[in-house]
Amino acid sequence: MSNENGMGPGQIVKVLIGIVVFLVVAITLLAKLATSGFNVDAEVMTNESVAARLKPVGDSVAADAPPGSRTGEQVFQAVCITCHGNGLLGSPKFGDAAAWGPRIAKGFATLVQHALSGFNAMPARGGNATLTDSEVARAVAYMANAGGAKFAAPQADASGASATSASAPAAAAAALDPNVVGKKIYESVCVACHQAGVSGAPKFGDKAAWAVRLKPGLDEVQKIATKGLNAMPPKGGYSGSDAEFRAAIEYMVNNSK
Ligand code: HEC
Ligand code: HEC
């Protein structure tokens, strides 16, 4: 009679066993979840996963956003995160104020210059040549600010005349000696066409040819040459920073006056 509506002692024991079994299963599952979480971290450092993480370097970034317009965060997410996301190769890790402190102390211009030209295991432009100077600068500001800095990121790109004078790369340009940096680039890249005047290139040392080119001013000439002009490829095919390219132009121009 008593077993018809309520539970007898046998059923209570069964329910208790059920609860215990459920708890054991749940705890086992949770434990598995936690350990597999750690396994993912451990796998991060295997050769294959490191290679896979390095792979996107050099691929095009945020294809939907036109070059020059990408924000610091977009550039970080697409390129820099490969190493700076977890401190790969000894890079200062994103958000790690202790790691970024001594970097930030170098000043924004130096950090941007190092990010543009490369610095030890840090590849130039994080290994992605499609990044413009101001995009790299914005990514530097984004990362450094997450590590405790208060850098103002350059907004407009160098293709807009407004940004060139204010941005850090332009400030760094002043420090690049045309007779050292510019000469080296000229002799390795520009010489191919500008030495002999291939395809109508203004010849090195040809005052008359250069005087015509220089009428709109050096900044304008740099803009034209950066974009490319007929047989002149963008930046003359040079893949380094705008500041370095400027030094190469100045080297040619200074020797053609
Ligand atoms: C392939 C790995 C890798 C990628 C990708 C990478 N970095 Fe780095 N980065 C490093 C390493 C390693 C260092 C530390 C170099 C050192 O101090 O010897 C570093 C250091 C830096 C520094 C500090 C330089 C200094 O003077 O202390 C800046 C700034 C920086 N990276 C910016 C960037 C930006 C911006 C990007 C993305 C556009 C990027 N990095 C992508 C590896 C990388
Ligand atoms: C493949 C050949 C080639 C290479 C390499 C090359 N140039 Fe040129 N460059 C030209 C040609 C051709 C012109 C003239 C284009 C025209 O007016 O149609 C030119 C024009 C220029 C001009 C004048 C732009 C203007 O406003 O009229 C500058 C500045 C310049 N180049 C800089 C450089 C620099 C700096 C390098 C090396 C980093 C370089 N070029 C490499 C072919 C080249």
Side-chain angles (χ1 to χ4, degrees):
M1 276 294 248
S2 63
N3 280 353
E4 266 174 31
N5 293 321
M7 290 190 287
Q11 272 176 303
I12 289 174
V13 167
K14 274 184 196 164
V15 167
L16 282 177
I17 290 173
I19 289 171
V20 168
V21 167
F22 170 78
L23 283 176
V24 167
V25 168
I27 288 167
T28 311
L29 281 177
L30 278 174
K32 267 204 174 156
L33 213 69
T35 43
S36 68
F38 289 124
N39 285 343
V40 166
D41 274 353
E43 265 166 30
V44 161
M45 295 317 290
T46 66
N47 283 343
E48 282 130 57
S49 63
V50 168
R53 279 164 163 270
L54 284 170
K55 220 177 165 193
V57 175
D59 287 359
S60 66
V61 185
D64 43 326
S69 71
R70 293 162 292 203
T71 66
E73 185 177 0
Q74 281 173 334
V75 171
F76 169 74
Q77 291 293 349
V79 180
C80 325
I81 197 171
T82 307
C83 296
H84 289 274
N86 61 358
L88 203 67
L89 304 174
S91 58
K93 195 172 160 181
F94 186 80
D96 183 339
W100 276 98
R103 312 279 180 173
I104 291 164
K106 298 180 187 181
F108 188 52
T110 301
L111 293 183
V112 170
Q113 196 53 50
H114 286 170
L116 287 172
S117 308
F119 184 64
N120 301 322
M122 161 76 200
R125 283 167 213 266
N128 190 309
T130 72
L131 297 179
T132 66
D133 287 11
S134 73
E135 284 174 332
V136 172
R138 284 197 288 271
V140 170
Y142 176 73
M143 282 204 288
N145 290 352
K150 290 194 170 59
F151 295 141
Q155 288 310 311
D157 193 47
S159 58
S162 53
T164 9
S165 55
S167 70
L176 293 181
D177 187 344
N179 288 322
V180 179
V181 178
K183 185 170 188 275
K184 223 170 113 185
I185 297 166
Y186 171 77
E187 285 170 353
S188 62
V189 181
C190 326
V191 69
C193 300
H194 285 273
Q195 185 72 30
V198 174
S199 310
K203 248 167 105 170
F204 187 90
D206 184 337
K207 284 182 198 174
W210 278 103
V212 182
R213 306 278 177 176
L214 290 171
K215 272 187 188 148
L218 207 52
D219 285 348
E220 188 60 27
V221 168
Q222 181 180 357
K223 257 205 256 174
I224 294 168
T226 299
K227 282 191 191 127
L229 179 68
N230 304 317
M232 163 78 189
K235 271 190 171 181
Y238 181 65
S239 60
S241 74
D242 287 354
E244 290 164 354
F245 179 61
R246 169 67 169 239
I249 296 175
E250 285 179 5
Y251 176 71
M252 280 204 280
V253 166
N254 293 346
N255 285 284
S256 310
K257 276 182 180 165

